[in-house]
């Protein structure tokens, strides 16, 4: 009796930790079919990176694997394997709230450098910059490969995947491998010493607080001793702010988001550039490395302050449906469907949908009168996405502006957005977000491979040494460039 009780108790514990919901095959099939219909009837670039017969094969494989032993998380993973092939950074899937990571989260704060995991803090007496070799007996290179599907990105880009994985490693690890109460890791310190260590899982809140201590946030480089205050002002701050490097006559404008009220954003920029010009600043650095997008008009306003010439952003917009597919499962539609889809596109038919091609008069924007007239540098990263990536593309088209950092997560030639629709699948409660508009962007350089993000003019990859020192290699490069 005691043995049976212990077995039952162990089963209950495993169920509580993983808390995945079992689904019968009919429920899985229904959700998968709704998901398929939404994509095929509404996604404006479904076959841009995968051939139609190849996508059909993936769908059929997923359908053939359906059985009564599947859980909602199993279905979530199958759907991710499909969206990962579509390669649209705005096509998002969110797992149902059945895996509870609140109290059991992977405790280490990690940084990905050259496809390897390194510690980004000195917690648990592990030196910063130590290479993590295995977790629970599995090589971290295999773990990284398995986690890539959890991050949507435009085209073949990997930098966005790496930036998201390092930030949400504990969450993705739990989805892929289930909840663990403890972790056995092996690691190699910067001086080559190999060690192993057993670590207990921690609460998400505790790990989140320690995340503010990342060396790769560069508090040490800026000589700030309070990591939390620095994080709150420089990383978590969504409003535009500026600081100065007086000895170089340089301003650093940090834009961590293009979200927020459009009129307020523009008013803030007017005040900032009035101050910059009053100080007679000669060099301006705009840091959008933490900016994952927002409203395109905000990115347009910012660019109008740093260009001396009129500029274009969009060549065309296209859709394949004049209405929201599977609308009864839609939970949120932010824009008016009739105005934004039917009335806007119905008079612009093409053979495979509806396309609006913009002429020069419709897409040219004018520079600001009180624009900045000095030298401009833009800092970009894999986390630079959506409207931020569009801003980086404007800068890429301008020979007077220098882009520095790594390839953006947003696509160079095309992207998706402008009309996002939120869905909840009825049985699994998986949330899906699909944008119904494909945007063909104005580009000047045509040699960049399809599926790339916006490439920097100067590619700088952070080294393990930079991580250990807390050195901002990209910003430091600009400062050295200005010094001559």
């Amino acid at each position: 009796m005691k043995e049976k009780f212990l077995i039952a108790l162990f089963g209950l514990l495993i169920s509580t930790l993983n808390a995945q919901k079992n689904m019968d095959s009919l429920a899985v099939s229904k959700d998968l079919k709704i998901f398929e219909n939404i994509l095929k009837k509404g996604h404006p670039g479904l076959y841009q990176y995968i051939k139609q017969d190849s996508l059909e094969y993936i769908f059929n494989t997923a359908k053939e694997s359906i059985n009564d032993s599947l859980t909602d998380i199993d279905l979530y993973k199958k759907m991710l394997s499909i969206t990962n092939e579509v390669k649209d950074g705005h096509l998002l899937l969110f797992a149902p709230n059945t895996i509870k990571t609140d109290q059991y989260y992977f405790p280490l704060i990690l940084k990905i450098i050259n496809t390897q995991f390194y510690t980004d803090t000195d917690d648990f007496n592990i030196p910063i910059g130590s290479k993590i070799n295995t977790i629970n007996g599995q090589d971290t290179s295999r773990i990284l490969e398995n986690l890539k599907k959890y991050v949507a990105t435009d085209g073949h880009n990997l930098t966005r995947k790496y930036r998201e994985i390092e930030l949400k490693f504990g969450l993705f690890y739990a989805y892929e491998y289930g909840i663990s109460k403890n972790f056995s890791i092996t690691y190699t310190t910067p001086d080559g010493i190999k060690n192993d260590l057993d670590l207990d899982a921690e609460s998400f809140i505790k790990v989140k607080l320690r995340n503010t201590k990342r060396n790769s946030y560069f508090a040490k480089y800026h000589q700030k001793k309070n990591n939390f205050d620095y994080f709150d002002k420089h990383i978590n701050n969504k409003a535009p702010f500026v600081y100065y490097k007086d000895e170089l006559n340089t301003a650093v404008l940090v834009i961590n988001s293009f979200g927020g009220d459009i009129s307020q954003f523009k008013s803030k920029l007017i005040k900032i550039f009035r101050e910059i010009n009053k100080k007679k600043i000669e060099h301006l650095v705009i840091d959008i490395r933490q900016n994952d997008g927002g409203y395109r008009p905000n990115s347009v306003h910012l660019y109008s302050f740093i260009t001396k010439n009129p500029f274009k952003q969009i060549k065309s917009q296209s859709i394949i449906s004049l209405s929201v597919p599977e609308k009864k499962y839609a939970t949120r539609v932010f824009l008016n469907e009739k105005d934004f889809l039917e009335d806007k596109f119905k008079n612009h038919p093409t053979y495979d949908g509806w396309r609006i091609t913009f002429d020069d008069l419709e897409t040219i924007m004018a520079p600001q009168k009180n624009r900045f007239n000095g030298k401009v540098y833009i800092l970009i990263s894999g986390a630079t996405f959506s409207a931020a990536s569009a801003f980086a593309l404007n800068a890429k088209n301008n020979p007077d502006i220098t882009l520095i950092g790594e390839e953006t997560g947003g696509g160079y030639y095309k992207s998706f957005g402008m009309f996002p629709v939120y869905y909840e699948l009825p049985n699994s409660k998986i949330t899906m977000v699909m944008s119904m508009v494909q945007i063909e962007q104005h580009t000047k350089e045509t040699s960049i491979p399809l599926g790339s993000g916006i490439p920097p003019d100067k590619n700088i990859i952070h080294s393990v040494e930079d991580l250990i020192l807390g050195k901002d290699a990209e910003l430091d490069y600009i400062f050295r460039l200005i010094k001559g």
Side-chain angles (χ1 to χ4, degrees):
M1 179 67 70
K2 183 177 180 182
E3 183 180 348
K4 289 183 178 179
F5 173 76
L6 290 175
I7 292 174
L9 181 62
F10 178 76
L12 177 63
L13 176 62
I14 294 298
S15 175
T16 303
L17 288 178
N18 290 302
Q20 300 181 36
K21 183 177 74 174
N22 290 322
M23 298 180 67
D24 63 57
S25 58
L26 289 177
V28 173
S29 296
K30 181 177 180 180
D31 279 12
L32 190 59
K33 185 61 179 177
I34 294 168
F35 169 65
E36 182 179 12
N37 288 343
I38 292 170
L39 286 179
K40 290 182 177 179
K41 294 178 180 179
H43 194 281
L46 191 59
Y47 306 113
Q48 184 166 303
Y49 296 105
I50 185 171
K51 292 181 179 179
Q52 186 171 354
D53 57 352
S54 297
L55 188 60
E56 288 295 332
Y57 176 79
I58 296 175
F59 266 114
N60 290 335
T61 301
K63 293 172 186 176
E64 291 168 1
S65 67
I66 292 174
N67 57 61
D68 286 330
S69 66
L70 293 178
T71 67
D72 52 354
I73 300 301
D74 292 329
L75 176 59
Y76 174 59
K77 292 179 184 179
K78 290 180 183 298
M79 291 169 59
L80 283 172
S81 69
I82 295 169
T83 57
N84 193 51
E85 297 300 324
V86 177
K87 303 186 187 306
D88 168 11
H90 287 86
L91 179 59
L92 307 176
L93 294 174
F94 298 98
N97 190 28
T98 52
I99 286 191
K100 306 293 185 181
T101 61
D102 303 36
Q103 298 303 317
Y104 300 104
Y105 207 81
F106 183 79
L108 294 181
I109 308 298
L110 302 177
K111 181 71 179 175
I112 298 176
I113 298 175
N114 293 327
T115 72
Q116 301 291 336
F117 288 102
Y118 295 88
T119 51
D120 204 351
T121 65
D122 58 2
D123 298 308
F124 310 106
N125 294 317
I126 303 175
I128 292 175
S130 295
K131 180 177 174 291
I132 306 301
N133 302 313
T134 63
I135 300 173
N136 288 347
Q138 186 163 30
D139 192 274
T140 51
S141 62
R142 172 51 52 189
I143 293 173
L144 177 60
E145 193 63 33
N146 290 339
L147 298 190
K148 285 180 181 178
K149 62 179 174 288
Y150 292 95
V151 183
T153 190
D154 286 350
H156 305 296
N157 171 271
L158 290 175
T159 57
R160 176 170 168 81
K161 289 183 181 290
Y162 295 154
R163 301 291 80 80
E164 282 283 295
I165 290 171
E166 67 190 19
L167 190 64
K168 302 174 183 176
F169 181 87
L171 180 65
F172 298 152
Y173 187 93
Y175 288 153
E176 185 67 15
Y177 300 103
I179 295 293
S180 295
K181 294 186 70 174
N182 46 66
F183 302 90
S184 296
I185 67 166
T186 62
Y187 66 94
T188 305
T189 64
D191 54 4
I193 299 175
K194 294 183 178 181
N195 290 298
D196 56 77
L197 184 66
D198 290 333
L199 295 171
D200 290 333
E202 290 189 338
S203 70
F204 169 73
I205 293 298
K206 194 170 183 179
V207 177
K208 184 179 179 181
L209 288 173
R210 287 196 291 101
N211 179 72
T212 64
K213 302 185 337 183
R214 283 181 181 270
N215 243 29
S216 62
Y217 284 154
F218 313 126
K220 186 184 298 185
Y221 179 81
H222 291 280
Q223 300 177 337
K224 304 295 183 181
K225 294 183 179 180
N226 189 314
N227 290 83
F228 185 81
D229 287 348
Y230 173 84
F231 174 85
D232 200 45
K233 179 179 179 180
H234 283 257
I235 308 299
N236 203 39
N237 186 0
K238 302 304 180 184
F241 68 93
V242 65
Y243 63 93
Y244 297 92
K245 193 81 168 175
D246 293 332
E247 66 272 23
L248 297 177
N249 199 12
T250 297
V252 181
L253 173 59
V254 181
I255 310 284
N256 288 329
S257 175
F258 283 124
D261 182 83
I262 294 172
S263 61
Q264 291 180 12
F265 187 89
K266 186 174 183 180
S267 296
K268 183 71 173 178
L269 289 183
I270 290 173
K271 291 179 182 178
I272 288 175
F273 277 93
R274 185 180 294 135
E275 178 181 283
I276 289 173
N277 289 330
K278 187 176 180 180
K279 287 178 173 288
K280 301 186 185 303
I281 294 296
E282 295 179 0
H283 304 274
L284 173 63
V285 181
I286 300 179
D287 189 346
I288 55 170
R289 287 176 291 181
Q290 303 291 336
N291 192 322
D292 65 356
Y295 298 118
R296 185 176 284 259
N298 286 341
S299 73
V300 172
H301 288 325
L302 177 59
Y303 186 70
S304 69
F305 279 98
I306 61 173
T307 181
K308 61 185 177 183
N309 298 314
F311 59 99
K312 298 170 64 175
Q313 272 212 322
I314 299 172
K315 288 182 179 179
S316 69
Q317 296 175 3
S318 59
I319 60 174
I320 64 164
S321 175
L322 294 175
S323 61
V324 174
E326 298 285 356
K327 192 171 182 179
K328 66 180 178 179
Y329 302 109
T331 57
R332 283 190 291 172
V333 180
F334 290 94
L335 299 169
N336 184 285
E337 178 184 3
K338 184 176 184 298
D339 292 344
F340 202 86
L341 293 179
E342 183 179 349
D343 291 350
K344 181 178 179 180
F345 285 93
K346 67 179 179 181
N347 294 322
H348 301 272
T350 64
Y351 72 94
D352 59 350
W354 293 265
R355 182 184 304 274
I356 300 174
T357 302
F358 295 96
D359 61 31
D360 287 348
L361 292 178
E362 288 178 298
T363 58
I364 287 182
M365 292 81 157
Q368 293 286 330
K369 292 181 180 179
N370 59 336
R371 65 184 182 276
F372 177 72
N373 289 305
K375 178 62 179 175
V376 178
Y377 309 85
I378 311 291
L379 288 171
I380 58 175
S381 77
T384 305
F385 186 65
S386 193
S389 202
F391 171 78
L393 179 57
N394 282 137
K396 184 69 177 178
N397 289 333
N398 190 334
D400 296 326
I401 297 176
T402 304
L403 264 67
I404 292 168
E406 67 178 358
E407 177 188 347
T408 69
Y412 180 77
Y413 294 103
K414 294 181 179 181
S415 64
F416 304 91
M418 292 194 167
F419 196 87
V421 183
Y422 285 68
Y423 294 93
E424 183 179 86
L425 301 184
N427 299 299
S428 62
K429 304 303 179 184
I430 293 170
T431 298
M432 174 182 181
V433 185
M434 182 183 72
S435 293
M436 293 185 64
V437 180
Q438 181 172 241
I439 303 157
E440 184 181 9
Q441 298 170 150
H442 175 67
T443 58
K444 289 188 176 180
E445 188 177 338
T446 59
S447 62
I448 294 169
L450 180 66
S452 300
I454 289 87
D457 299 308
K458 175 65 176 180
N459 186 42
I460 295 180
I461 299 175
H462 284 263
S463 67
V464 178
E465 183 182 3
D466 293 331
L467 178 65
I468 295 169
L469 296 175
K471 177 183 175 182
D472 188 339
E474 296 152 337
L475 187 58
D476 192 67
Y477 171 82
I478 294 175
F479 289 162
R480 288 188 286 108
L481 201 63
I482 292 171
K483 286 179 183 177

